[in-house]
Amino acid sequence: MSRPTGRVLTLLELLQSGGIRTVAELADRLGVEGRTVRRYVDQLIDLDMPVESVRGRYGGYRLAPGYRLPPLMFSDDEALAVLLGLVAGRRAGLTTTERTASETASAKIRRVLPKHIARRLDTLLEALAFTTQPGEFDTPDAGILLTTADAVRHRHPVSIRYTDRDGRRSERTLHAYGIVAHAGRWYVTGKDPGIGEDRTFRLDRITDARTLPGSFEAPVGPSPEQRVLSGFATAEYRHEVTVRIHGTAEQIRTHLPPSVASLEEYAPTDGEERAAERWLRVELRAERLDWLPPVLASLDRPFVIERPEELRDLVTALAERLGSYARHA
C-alpha cells in the first residue's frame, strides 16, 4: 500500500471514531499539511464516503451516516470484541430471523484479519467452552424488531399481528414500554389500550408491526425488565402454588428468581407465634409440580406448603425416597 493511500485510510479511521475533527488535528495526526488533508478528504468523497464539512470556529470534518457502510477499520482488540459478540449472540439465541447474518458477518471480518490475529482468535475459540448447549429458539424478524424499537423510543402506538402459544391469531394496538432480552428470547412489554392492561409479547410471534400516529406518556413504576419478569411469575398455568419459607429473600432468590416466583412478607394471623426471624410467602404458577420438591429441598430452609395438596404429597414422596437411599449400605 502506497504511503498516501495509507494516510487516506488512516483519515477514514480517524473520522469513524466519531465527532468533528479539525483540519489542524487531522494534519497533526497524519503528519501532513492542512491542504493535503483537504485533498485526502476529496479522495474519500470521490469514493462516495459521506464526509461532511462543518463550518465555524470549531469546524472541521465528520463522517455522516451514508446510504452504504464505508470500509471499517478495526484495531486488533475491536475485531476480537466484535467476533466474540457475534459468537455469544448466536449461543444466547439473540439473533434475527436472518440466521446466517451473524455467520456471514463473522466470515467477512475473519477474511481480512491479519494472520497472527486470526490464529489467536482460532486458539481462543478452540479453548472456549460454554456451560449450556446453544438453544433452538424462534427469533424475531429484523424489520419487526427495529419497528418496535422505534415505537418504544418515540412513544408511538404500534399495531401488531400476534399468534399466541395456542395458535390463536389477533391484531391489537400496543403502547410499547420497552424490549427485553431474557433467556434467549426477545420480548416487548407495554399497555394494550384495548383492555387497559399491561401485556408482554414474544417478538418472534409477531408477524407484522406498523407504527401508528399519535403518542402516549411514558409509564412510571417498574422498568420494562421488571415488568417482564413479574409477568412470567404471574402467568396462567395449571397449578397455583403458595409456600411460606423461613429465610431471607437472598436465600430464596438463589433458587426461585423473580421470573419464577413472587415474594411478600408473611404477617402471622392472631394466635400464631411471631418468630424472631421472618417468614416470606412465595407464590408461583406452574404447569408441572415435579420440579418443585428438589428446589424446596435445596433451599435447606423450613417451609410450609399452603397449596396445593398435591405438592405436599410430592415432597413427602421425595423425602421417603431420599431416606431409603441413605439407608442403603
Side-chain angles (χ1 to χ4, degrees):
M1 182 181 296
S2 66
R3 192 175 184 85
T5 302
R7 286 175 177 158
V8 171
L9 292 177
T10 300
L11 171 61
L12 178 59
E13 184 176 6
L14 291 171
L15 294 175
Q16 284 180 163
S17 63
I20 299 173
R21 302 284 182 170
T22 65
V23 173
E25 177 188 0
L26 293 171
D28 181 66
R29 295 290 297 274
L30 296 172
V32 298
E33 296 181 351
R35 61 183 179 182
T36 305
V37 171
R38 296 184 181 91
R39 188 169 70 250
Y40 289 165
V41 169
D42 289 339
Q43 292 182 37
L44 290 176
I45 293 174
D46 288 341
L47 293 171
D48 287 337
M49 301 301 163
V51 181
E52 291 183 343
S53 176
V54 181
R55 298 183 181 277
R57 180 179 178 184
Y58 301 103
Y61 295 103
R62 66 185 177 191
L63 196 62
Y67 66 90
R68 67 179 183 180
L69 188 68
L72 296 176
M73 271 73 74
F74 290 120
S75 68
D76 294 348
D77 288 344
E78 289 171 340
L80 182 61
V82 171
L83 287 169
L84 288 179
L86 291 170
V87 171
R90 289 201 303 269
R91 295 286 306 199
L94 300 181
T95 58
T96 67
T97 51
E98 296 294 332
R99 294 180 181 274
T100 60
S102 61
E103 296 174 2
T104 55
S106 297
K108 288 177 181 178
I109 296 175
R110 290 173 67 101
R111 191 161 51 240
V112 296
L113 282 180
K115 290 183 178 180
H116 72 285
I117 295 299
R119 286 195 298 268
R120 293 179 65 187
L121 175 65
D122 289 336
T123 300
L124 172 61
L125 294 179
E126 289 174 4
L128 184 62
F130 291 85
T131 57
T132 58
Q133 295 297 317
E136 291 294 330
F137 298 116
D138 294 323
T139 49
D141 176 83
I144 290 174
L145 179 62
L146 295 175
T147 297
T148 306
D150 184 74
V152 170
R153 179 178 182 180
H154 297 289
R155 301 298 177 191
H156 291 318
V158 60
S159 173
I160 63 173
R161 292 178 182 173
Y162 190 73
T163 304
D164 66 17
R165 62 183 178 184
D166 296 322
R168 293 188 297 264
R169 298 178 181 179
S170 62
E171 185 168 348
R172 61 189 73 200
T173 299
L174 183 68
H175 292 174
Y177 302 154
I179 295 173
V180 179
H182 172 69
R185 296 195 190 279
W186 296 91
Y187 298 89
V188 58
T189 184
K191 183 177 182 179
D192 184 335
I195 60 176
E197 296 180 359
D198 284 356
R199 297 293 307 275
T200 294
F201 301 98
R202 271 176 45 178
L203 274 166
D204 62 278
R205 290 178 175 166
I206 297 177
T207 56
D208 182 62
R210 294 179 293 106
T211 303
L212 299 175
S215 62
F216 61 91
E217 292 295 325
V220 296
S223 64
E225 57 269 28
Q226 290 172 328
R227 292 173 186 270
V228 169
L229 292 177
S230 62
F232 289 148
T234 58
E236 292 295 330
Y237 291 103
R238 180 185 301 179
H239 301 284
E240 294 187 356
V241 178
T242 305
V243 181
R244 299 199 308 271
I245 299 177
H246 192 249
T248 65
E250 291 75 16
Q251 291 169 328
I252 297 171
R253 284 303 187 204
T254 58
H255 297 277
L256 294 169
S259 59
V260 173
S262 60
L263 303 182
E264 65 177 20
E265 293 280 354
Y266 171 68
T269 59
D270 293 340
E272 286 187 307
E273 182 180 354
R274 292 182 177 272
E277 296 184 31
R278 65 177 182 173
W279 288 77
L280 292 175
R281 175 175 273 118
V282 180
E283 294 187 344
L284 60 96
R285 290 169 170 79
E287 281 294 313
R288 297 169 52 184
L289 296 174
D290 53 358
W291 62 275
L292 266 172
V295 171
L296 294 174
S298 65
L299 283 169
D300 194 25
R301 304 298 305 169
F303 63 86
V304 176
I305 298 173
E306 294 186 1
R307 62 174 178 171
E309 188 67 27
E310 181 183 351
L311 177 59
R312 187 176 289 107
D313 296 337
L314 291 173
V315 170
T316 301
L318 175 63
E320 291 174 351
R321 287 199 305 274
L322 292 177
S324 67
Y325 299 156
R327 288 191 293 270
H328 288 166

